[in-house]
Amino acid sequence: DKKPRARIKTNTSHFVRLLSYFQIPILVTLERSVERKGTLPNEIAKHLNDGARIFEKDFFDLTKEKAIRSHLAGLKRKQALVAGCETDVCVLQSCLGLLQLGYEVFVVEELVFSSARDTDAAVARMRAEGIVVVSYKTLFYELLEAVDGNSHGDKMRRAYGPFPDDLPDAL
């Protein structure tokens, strides 16, 4: 079915734009072989910020890749937002790996997907391990922090420019 796939591409594109707007580092992983598995869709790639890095990986858990671990350490951050596929394989194993490395891990519920019809067990396991499942809307407003017209909102606009009107607050 092409409808869910198109929705995921659109939603992920908005998410990447949101992260880019707030200058949040973006790390993209592609499973090898990229020729067989597929590249990053152009609808998403065109919104990557200058600091975004794309890595190819052989492991389901991205933290098992030395270059990715090194890059993550260099960012000097202790929180990770996770989106992508497969919820019950790569997303699950990568989130567990990030936890083991000491990260606070947040999974954006509208932005994880799988070829499996039911990923409830994987999501339940993530929650049981301490991974926080957030909605895009919640994340959106946590990043925005304040309503327009107050001093904090004005400070944000000075730092980042006007907030894009076409970014939805829910996907």
Side-chain angles (χ1 to χ4, degrees):
D1 187 7
K2 292 184 185 218
K3 211 170 221 177
R5 184 174 294 200
R7 186 176 69 248
I8 287 287
K9 281 183 185 177
T10 299
N11 291 350
T12 303
S13 176
H14 289 314
F15 179 63
V16 168
R17 287 180 58 222
L18 181 69
L19 297 180
S20 292
Y21 177 80
F22 285 106
Q23 300 171 7
I24 295 171
I26 299 171
L27 184 149
V28 176
T29 62
L30 302 172
E31 194 172 301
R32 289 191 184 102
S33 85
V34 173
E35 296 77 28
R36 192 169 57 85
K37 298 284 186 163
T39 62
L40 185 64
N42 289 334
E43 303 94 317
I44 297 167
K46 71 182 181 183
H47 297 294
L48 292 175
N49 60 31
D50 292 339
R53 290 284 311 272
I54 299 174
F55 292 91
E56 292 182 13
K57 65 184 184 77
D58 291 313
F59 293 92
F60 300 125
D61 173 0
L62 63 83
T63 68
K64 298 230 184 278
E65 300 283 346
K66 186 177 179 181
I68 294 173
R69 271 194 327 275
S70 176
H71 178 73
L72 287 170
L75 294 174
K76 300 193 184 327
R77 308 262 178 146
K78 283 321 241 174
Q79 295 179 317
L81 294 166
V82 179
C85 64
E86 303 252 333
T87 305
D88 48 343
V89 182
C90 293
V91 171
L92 172 64
Q93 291 185 39
S94 293
C95 287
L96 295 174
L98 288 164
L99 277 179
Q100 287 184 330
L101 292 178
Y103 286 87
E104 186 178 10
V105 182
F106 300 86
V107 171
V108 184
E109 67 182 347
E110 299 92 341
L111 300 176
V112 292
F113 54 99
S114 179
S115 58
R117 292 186 184 274
D118 185 3
T119 59
D120 291 348
V123 173
R125 182 172 176 204
M126 284 189 251
R127 284 188 164 124
E129 296 288 341
I131 294 158
V132 179
V133 179
V134 298
S135 71
Y136 179 88
K137 183 176 181 180
T138 297
L139 176 64
F140 180 94
Y141 284 104
E142 283 185 31
L143 290 171
L144 199 55
E145 294 181 341
V147 296
D148 286 339
N150 66 33
S151 61
H152 183 75
D154 292 342
K155 180 181 169 187
M156 296 280 287
R157 274 192 297 292
R158 280 194 303 277
Y160 300 110
F163 197 75
D165 291 334
D166 65 334
L167 267 178
D169 67 351
L171 299 175

